[in-house]
Amino acid sequence: MCRLFCVTSDEPQSPMLALGALDVMREGHDGSGVGLFLTDLTGPFAELKDKPILSGIFTKDGLRRLNDFMNALGFWPLYRVVITTDKEPPPGTPKRDFYLIQVYEYPDGWENLDQEEKEFRLMMTRLQLRWMGEEKEDIIVFSFWPDVIMIKEVGDPLLVGEYLRLDRKELQARVIMAQGRQNTNYAINLYACHPFFIQGIATMTNGENTAFVPIREFLLSRGFPGYTGYQSDSEVFTHILHYALKKLGLKLEYYKHLITPLTDEEIKRHPNRELLRRLKLACRPLTIDGPNCVIGCLPDKTVFMVQDRKKLRPGVVGGRPGFYVLCSEMCGLDFAAPDRDKSQDFQPMHLDTVIVYPDRREVRRCSQMEPLPPLH
Amino acid sequence: MLPDGTLTPSSLGLKDLRWLIYWDKDKCALCGRCTAVCPVKAIELGVHRQRVVFSPLLDAPAKEAPSGLYRVYYGIRQRTEPAHACTGCGMCAQVCPNGAILPYRNDEEDKLRFHFNQGGQPRRRGGRRNDPAPGTLDRIKFVRISMLTDPALDALRHEFELRTLLGRILPPEEELRLYREEGWTPPVREIYPLMIGGMSLGALSPTMWEGLMMGVAYLNEELGLPVRISTGEGGCPPRLLRSRFIKYIILQIASGYFGWDEIVRAIPEMKEDPCAIEIKYGQGAKPGDGGLLLWHKVNELIAAIRGVPPRVSLPSPPTHQTLYSIEESVAKMIQSLAMAWGFRVPVYPKISGTSTALAVLNNLTRNPYAAALCIDGEDGATGAAYEVSLNHMGHPIASNIRDCYLNLVKLGKQNEIPLIAAGGIGKHGNLAANAAALFMLGASAVQIGRYILQAAAGCLGSESDRCNVCNVGICPKGITSQDPRLYRRLDPDRVAERVVDVFLSFDMELKKIVAALGRSTSLPIGMSDALGIDDYHAAERLQIKYVI
Ligand code: SF4
Ligand code: SF4
C-alpha cells in the first residue's frame, strides 16, 4: 500500500522533509517510485507566482522539441531550474538527461483571456506536450501551472531525493505532497505515479479503487480533454474533485458526498436531504468503492483528507497552528512533527473530511452529516 | 401398426415419443391417482390380457395335462397419439403412493416433433427456448477478486447499498441547475435490482398472482427490500389499483391494451402512484409477436379484468396500432402515459432483444421522458407462443445489453437511461451470478419471470421440453391455469413465502459476489474489469477478460 505525506506550513519546508517521512513509513512502500507536488513556492518562483511553471523530464531531443513547441506558442522562458547529475542513479532509477522546472511568460494576448479559457489553454498545452512525448518517448510532463512544481521518479524516495539534490533552497514550499509508491497492479509508468494534477488541483491516494472502470468511463465521456490518462486507478479521484469544483461549482465539503454518498437512511435525516438525494442519483457513477484515503490540495492551497465509506485505510492529521501534517501513518507524522500535542491528532473516520485552510490556523473536521454550505 | 390394426401417417409408437412412462406392476396399487392427475391424459387404465403356461405339480392328486391359460391384469397404458403425448411433467410420479410410475426421456430423438402440427396448426406452448446447454451468462466468471492489495468484504456483516435507479436521471450539471431553479425533474425510483417481470393475471392463475403480490408486499413492508413487479399485459384487479400497494407495481401496457379501461378509470381514485409504466413493444420469448392468451384461460374473471367477452382467444397484435414511427408514436405514447399521472411516474419501453436495439436506444436518449429501456433476450419464457418463435427468434441478452451500455458510455449517458435486462436469467439456477454478470456488463436491473414460477411455485417446465403446457390452461401445478380445480392446488401464502425466500437468498448471494470484488457502496454497474470468460470470441465481443 502506498504511503502518503502532506505538509502545510507557514514556514517554507524542504521536500526532503516529506521524503524523510516517507522513509520512516517505508514498510508500506517498496521504493518503486516517488511523486512530489510543491505549491505556495518561495524564492524566485514566488516572485513569478502568476506565471506558469512547467515540470517534467526530458531527453536532449525532447528539450529541443519542447523549446520549439513553446516558442511557436509564444511562451517565453523566464526562469528555470535544471536538474542534471553525473552521479550514478540509485538502484532502479533510470538515467535521465534533464529534470526541468521552467517558468514561462504567457504569450501575447493571453492577458485578455478570461480565467477559464486561460486555464483551459494551459491544460491543453500540458496535454499536447504529453502526447508529443508519448509518441517519441522523449518528454514527460507532470504539470504546467502557476506556483506548482511536480517531480516524479522511479526508485526509493529518499535516495532519489538525495540523487536529485532536492534539498536545494529554491525548491522549498509551504505546501508539499509526497507519495511513496507501492507498485501493485500497473507497470511502473511515471504517469501512474501520484500525486495527480489537473488545473491547480492535486490529489494522491492509497488503496485500490474497485469502482475504477465505471468511473473512468464516466469521466472519459464528459467530453473534457483533461479527463484522460488513467494509468492509475487513483487518477479518477483528482478528476472527480476537479469535476465537482470546476464543472459542478461545488465546494470541497461536497466532494465526499460524491465519492461516498450517505446511505438513504442517513440522507433522510440530513438537513440538505433533497439536494443530497438528487446529487446521489445524478452522480451515481462517481461513487468510489474504496478502500481509499485521499489527500489533496486545491488551487487556493487548502489541503484536505477524506476516507472512503469503509474506512479500511489509515490516515492521521496533526500538528500545530501554522504547521499541519496529513499523513497515511502515525510514524510519518511523528517524524515530521515530533513536538506536537498528540492529544489533538485526528484520524478521520468514514464520514469525515479534514480540511486545513490556507491560513493554517486549525484543522477543520467536517462530518457528512453536517449541513452543507449553500450552492452558489 | 397399432394393436387395433390401424395405421395412419401420424401413428406413433412408444419408441417415437419424447417422454416414456416406466410403470411397475408389482408396486402399483391401482389407485388411479396418476391417470387422474395427468394433464394431457397420456396414461389411461390398461386392461392387459396375458397368456401363462400352466403346468400342474407332479404329485398333484388329480392329474392334469400342462396347458396355456389366459389371465387379465390391470394397470397403466401410455397413449401414443400426439395430442396425448406425455409431457414428462412427472405429476404421476408425484402423486403415486408406491413410487410405481416415472416418466423418463427417450434415448433417441423423438418422432413426435414431426406431428405436433395436427390440423395444420403449428405447435404452440409455454416455457422457454428449448436449449438445455449452459448459456453465455453461466460461463462468465468473476475474476477480479480483492486479494491483499485491497481487502475482500464480509458479506454477512458489512454495510451494502445494492439498490438501483429506475427513471430518467439527468446529467449532474443539469440536475443541479434544476435544483437551484426549482424546475421539474423526471421521477426516479430507487428500487431493488431484481424485479419480477410482466406475467399477466390471465396468463397466471389467481392464486399465483396473489402469491406473487403478497410476497412483494411483504418484502417491501416487512423487510424493507424495494422489490417491484410488473403486471404484464392483462390489467390489474380494481381493488389493488386503488390500494397503497400499487406503488410496488409496474403497470404494463401492451398492444392489446387489455385492462386499461379499468386502469384509466381508477387513476383519479388512486391513493398512490404506481412504481412505473412499462410499455411492452416486444418480448424475448416471441419477438415480433404480440401477447397470446388462448380461450381456454379466458374465464369470466379474466374477461372482466381485461374488458373482453369470456372464452375467446386474445392474440394481441404484434405492434401497437398507433405505431408508425419511433420518433413520433413512441415518444407520444411515452409522453401521454407520463402525462396521465402528472409526470410523476417513470414510463419506459420494453423490447425484445434484437440487433436493432441500439437504434431504439439512441432514439430514447433523445426523448427526455424515456425513463429506461428494458430488453428481453431470447431465453425469455412465456405462457403461450409459437414454438418457432420460442426456439429460433430473438437475440441473446448478454451482447445486446453490453452493446447498449457501451453505446451509452460513448454518449456519456450511461447513468441517464437505466438498462433493464431480462430473458433466461437464472435459467440454470444461477440467478445471482447471472444477474451480477449483467450488472457488470452494464444493466441497472434484471427481471425474472419463469425463474420465480419455478422457485416460488414449483413450475415443472424445463428447456428439455418438460411440461410447458402453460398455454392451454391445464397447468398441473395450478400456476398458469384458470381452472379452480387446478389452481386450488396452489396456496398463495406458501407462494408468497417462497418469493421472500428467493429474494433473501438472492440478496445474500449477490453480496457474496460483490463483497469478494471489494464492492459494497454501490451496485457495480459496468464493472466489466471483474468479468472473464473462457471463450476468446465471447470475451472480445463483450470486452471482458479471456481466461482459461
Ligand atoms: S409425466 Fe405428466 S404427462 Fe406424463 S404421464 Fe405422468 S402426469 Fe401424464
Ligand atoms: S408447471 Fe405449469 S407453468 Fe410450469 S411449465 Fe408446466 S404448465 Fe407451465
Side-chain angles (χ1 to χ4, degrees):
Chain A
M1 189 174 64
C2 306
R3 295 302 195 240
L4 313 172
F5 178 89
C6 169
V7 61
T8 175
S9 156
D10 287 345
E11 288 303 312
Q13 300 292 331
S14 162
M16 295 310 282
L17 172 77
L19 301 182
L22 290 183
D23 198 55
V24 172
M25 301 189 278
R26 67 174 303 135
E27 269 179 22
H29 60 85
D30 60 5
S32 67
V34 60
L36 275 167
F37 168 85
L38 316 173
T39 187
D40 210 344
L41 302 169
T42 55
F45 290 112
E47 283 159 31
L48 301 167
K49 224 177 175 56
D50 304 327
K51 314 290 181 197
I53 308 172
L54 181 75
S55 312
I57 301 178
F58 299 83
T59 64
K60 289 194 185 76
D61 280 350
L63 195 59
R64 209 182 46 247
R65 293 211 299 144
L66 167 76
N67 291 337
D68 293 349
F69 177 76
M70 295 304 267
N71 263 338
L73 289 180
F75 282 104
W76 191 251
L78 293 175
Y79 173 76
R80 71 165 144 196
V81 173
V82 185
I83 305 172
T84 49
T85 158
D86 297 332
K87 283 188 290 180
E88 266 311 296
T93 306
K95 189 122 180 73
R96 315 271 191 188
D97 291 350
F98 308 102
Y99 298 81
L100 177 74
I101 301 158
Q102 175 142 287
V103 192
Y104 287 94
E105 180 59 85
Y106 286 109
D108 285 348
W110 277 45
E111 57 279 5
N112 304 326
L113 297 177
D114 68 27
Q115 189 59 21
E116 197 184 329
E117 178 61 22
K118 205 160 152 183
E119 293 187 353
F120 185 76
R121 290 196 191 183
L122 283 179
M123 182 190 79
M124 289 313 293
T125 310
R126 169 176 64 84
L127 288 175
Q128 271 167 300
L129 282 168
R130 175 175 172 165
W131 297 326
M132 277 168 61
E134 277 168 344
E135 204 179 306
K136 297 223 163 104
E137 295 190 354
D138 56 355
I139 296 174
I140 304 172
V141 279
F142 304 122
S143 57
F144 182 45
W145 202 255
D147 199 21
V148 166
I149 293 174
M150 292 186 79
I151 299 165
K152 297 179 184 183
E153 187 49 283
V154 182
D156 178 81
L158 194 59
L159 297 179
V160 167
E162 285 164 358
Y163 167 65
L164 300 179
R165 291 191 290 107
L166 298 184
D167 54 353
R168 54 186 92 201
K169 194 152 181 8
E170 57 272 39
L171 291 184
Q172 291 193 353
R174 292 188 185 83
V175 174
I176 299 174
M177 285 171 41
Q179 196 237 26
R181 183 169 162 75
Q182 168 72 45
N183 193 40
T184 47
N185 46 349
Y186 299 93
I188 302 177
N189 167 337
L190 287 185
Y191 286 125
C193 276
H194 311 221
F196 298 100
F197 175 83
I198 182 168
Q199 293 193 323
I201 295 164
T203 74
M204 56 188 182
T205 318
N206 61 17
E208 291 259 317
N209 173 12
T210 46
F212 169 55
V213 168
I215 300 176
R216 177 185 63 188
E217 282 170 348
F218 183 81
L219 291 167
L220 282 172
S221 59
R222 291 312 90 194
F224 183 69
Y227 299 156
T228 175
Y230 306 121
Q231 269 73 14
S232 158
D233 58 352
S234 294
E235 192 161 12
V236 299
F237 293 97
T238 322
H239 294 177
I240 297 172
L241 181 59
H242 178 273
Y243 183 67
L245 300 177
K246 303 256 179 172
K247 301 280 165 195
L248 301 183
L250 300 172
K251 301 220 173 75
L252 179 59
E253 287 83 346
Y254 287 79
Y255 181 51
K256 196 163 182 353
H257 285 285
L258 297 197
I259 57 173
T260 63
L262 293 172
T263 62
D264 296 344
E265 282 63 39
E266 288 163 336
I267 287 180
K268 283 191 195 119
R269 288 185 273 123
H270 196 283
N272 302 99
R273 60 185 78 81
E274 178 60 12
L275 174 59
L276 286 182
R277 188 185 66 79
R278 290 168 61 171
L279 265 183
K280 185 175 175 179
L281 300 186
C283 298
R284 175 171 64 156
L286 295 179
T287 306
I288 63 158
D289 222 329
N292 299 104
C293 169
V294 186
I295 297 177
C297 178
L298 307 190
D300 71 353
K301 324 297 176 210
T302 297
V303 294
F304 70 93
M305 175 190 285
V306 288
Q307 293 283 347
D308 80 288
R309 177 80 195 182
K310 305 188 221 340
K311 175 59 194 169
L312 286 169
R313 286 287 179 252
V316 59
V317 179
R320 54 179 178 271
F323 183 90
Y324 286 105
V325 170
L326 298 79
C327 191
S328 59
E329 341 283 318
M330 193 63 91
C331 56
L333 175 58
D334 286 344
F335 171 85
D339 52 351
R340 73 194 188 278
D341 175 359
K342 292 189 183 177
S343 69
Q344 296 297 312
D345 288 357
F346 181 60
Q347 302 197 21
M349 293 316 243
H350 67 297
L351 294 174
D352 299 319
T353 303
V354 176
I355 306 174
V356 182
Y357 290 110
D359 64 7
R360 307 183 181 94
R361 289 303 96 196
E362 57 169 357
V363 174
R364 181 164 164 237
R365 308 159 187 191
C366 83
S367 159
Q368 260 181 292
M369 293 308 289
E370 288 169 16
L372 284 160
L375 292 175
H376 52 83
Chain B
M1 196 173 311
L2 295 184
D4 66 5
T6 59
L7 191 63
T8 68
S10 290
S11 298
L12 300 176
L14 286 175
K15 188 67 188 156
D16 306 320
L17 298 182
R18 197 161 278 186
W19 294 94
L20 300 176
I21 287 297
Y22 161 82
W23 170 72
D24 187 337
K25 174 168 169 270
D26 290 338
K27 288 188 188 165
C28 180
L30 297 179
C31 65
R33 289 187 193 193
C34 54
T35 50
V37 82
C38 178
V40 291
K41 306 212 177 338
I43 42 177
E44 58 188 5
L45 173 70
V47 182
H48 307 274
R49 184 163 178 261
Q50 191 179 34
R51 182 178 172 195
V52 284
V53 176
F54 173 74
S55 152
L57 294 174
L58 281 177
D59 52 356
K63 281 264 176 277
E64 267 183 77
S67 60
L69 287 184
Y70 290 91
R71 73 177 176 135
V72 166
Y73 70 93
Y74 303 96
I76 294 300
R77 183 193 307 279
Q78 180 172 2
R79 297 171 69 177
T80 55
E81 309 95 293
H84 295 283
C86 167
T87 66
C89 72
M91 286 304 290
C92 48
Q94 241 184 66
V95 298
C96 178
N98 286 1
I101 190 165
L102 191 70
Y104 63 98
R105 213 172 152 90
N106 197 342
D107 60 359
E108 200 197 68
E109 213 173 59
D110 59 83
K111 296 289 176 288
L112 178 64
R113 66 190 60 207
F114 305 109
H115 300 279
F116 279 126
N117 54 357
Q118 300 295 313
Q121 179 70 259
R123 184 181 184 202
R124 294 175 296 191
R125 62 172 178 89
R128 285 203 185 94
R129 193 164 69 94
N130 274 338
D131 178 6
T136 311
L137 290 177
D138 294 297
R139 293 168 58 197
I140 292 180
K141 310 163 206 283
F142 306 97
V143 295
R144 190 224 164 273
I145 308 300
S146 290
M147 278 291 127
L148 306 179
T149 60
D150 65 304
L153 306 171
D154 184 337
L156 292 174
R157 280 165 284 232
H158 215 88
E159 157 195 278
F160 287 86
E161 279 256 304
L162 298 174
R163 302 282 191 266
T164 196
L165 302 177
L166 175 61
R168 187 59 169 262
I169 300 137
L170 298 175
E173 292 85 348
E174 190 65 6
E175 183 72 47
L176 281 173
R177 182 182 70 77
L178 289 163
Y179 175 81
R180 288 191 192 97
E181 296 170 5
E182 299 183 13
W184 176 83
T185 49
V188 178
R189 310 279 196 240
E190 187 158 2
I191 64 169
Y192 196 70
L194 178 66
M195 307 158 75
I196 301 181
M199 293 176 289
S200 68
L201 173 53
L204 298 186
S205 67
T207 43
M208 185 65 210
W209 226 67
E210 195 185 348
L212 289 178
M213 293 297 160
M214 285 197 293
V216 167
Y218 188 90
L219 286 164
N220 277 281
E221 309 235 320
E222 298 296 323
L223 301 177
L225 228 49
V227 175
R228 298 294 179 261
I229 179 170
S230 163
T231 56
E233 182 194 17
C236 186
R239 266 182 60 201
L240 186 51
L241 284 172
R242 290 164 179 81
S243 78
R244 68 190 159 90
F245 301 108
I246 193 71
K247 61 176 178 283
Y248 308 136
I249 292 175
I250 295 167
L251 295 173
Q252 189 186 81
I253 183 164
S255 54
Y257 305 115
F258 293 124
W260 273 77
D261 280 353
E262 195 54 50
I263 292 174
V264 170
R265 262 198 294 276
I267 293 178
E269 292 158 29
M270 283 188 178
K271 285 199 195 63
E272 307 243 10
D273 289 331
C275 166
I277 309 298
E278 181 176 79
I279 310 178
K280 184 185 127 186
Y281 290 102
Q283 179 180 347
K286 39 185 162 177
D289 207 352
L292 178 61
L293 192 67
L294 294 181
W295 61 266
H296 314 73
K297 292 167 77 168
V298 187
N299 63 13
E300 280 67 21
L301 172 74
I302 301 305
I305 292 174
R306 295 197 173 204
V308 295
R311 299 291 164 208
V312 291
S313 286
L314 302 178
S316 302
T319 185
H320 291 252
Q321 296 305 298
T322 50
L323 180 67
Y324 68 92
S325 83
I326 181 165
E327 292 81 8
E328 272 202 65
S329 323
V330 176
K332 268 185 200 153
M333 191 151 175
I334 291 175
Q335 241 156 297
S336 325
L337 285 161
M339 197 158 63
W341 275 273
F343 297 96
R344 299 183 310 271
V345 176
V347 181
Y348 67 90
K350 170 181 174 175
I351 60 170
S352 57
T354 159
S355 56
T356 58
L358 277 185
V360 176
L361 180 66
N362 280 333
N363 229 286
L364 295 181
T365 58
R366 292 193 288 274
N367 175 349
Y369 299 102
L373 175 63
C374 176
I375 305 179
D376 192 9
E378 61 167 355
D379 281 326
T382 180
Y386 283 87
E387 181 164 70
V388 68
S389 304
L390 274 166
N391 281 355
H392 303 285
M393 309 279 297
H395 197 294
I397 189 64
S399 59
N400 230 189
I401 281 287
R402 188 72 179 139
D403 290 350
C404 286
Y405 178 75
L406 290 176
N407 189 57
L408 287 175
V409 167
K410 220 186 291 161
L411 299 171
K413 290 180 183 286
Q414 61 271 52
N415 189 43
E416 294 170 30
I417 300 193
L419 297 170
I420 304 169
I425 294 151
K427 173 177 164 179
H428 291 281
N430 312 317
L431 181 60
N434 289 177
L438 281 163
F439 298 147
M440 293 179 209
L441 290 173
S444 278
V446 297
Q447 287 189 350
I448 48 168
R450 176 67 42 160
Y451 184 94
I452 201 81
L453 303 190
Q454 288 171 322
C459 158
L460 305 163
S462 81
E463 289 69 60
S464 311
D465 203 20
R466 184 172 163 196
C467 198
N468 290 345
V469 289
C470 337
N471 52 329
V472 280
I474 54 174
C475 171
K477 287 297 193 91
I479 301 167
T480 54
S481 167
Q482 302 304 335
D483 182 341
R485 290 169 303 179
L486 293 176
Y487 69 65
R488 270 200 305 262
R489 291 178 185 170
L490 204 60
D491 177 348
D493 287 313
R494 307 300 286 272
V495 171
E497 276 174 35
R498 288 292 299 148
V499 170
V500 173
D501 289 349
V502 167
F503 276 86
L504 291 184
S505 64
F506 172 85
D507 197 56
M508 180 47 70
E509 283 198 338
L510 185 60
K511 284 178 187 166
K512 280 280 171 195
I513 294 171
V514 300
L517 309 180
R519 295 296 303 265
S520 65
T521 43
S522 64
L523 195 68
I525 298 167
M527 187 191 180
S528 53
D529 55 322
L531 300 180
I533 192 166
D534 60 358
D535 177 319
Y536 182 77
H537 294 289
E540 291 286 294
R541 182 70 181 76
L542 298 175
Q543 299 185 28
I544 60 178
K545 290 194 181 73
Y546 167 51
V547 287
I548 43 169

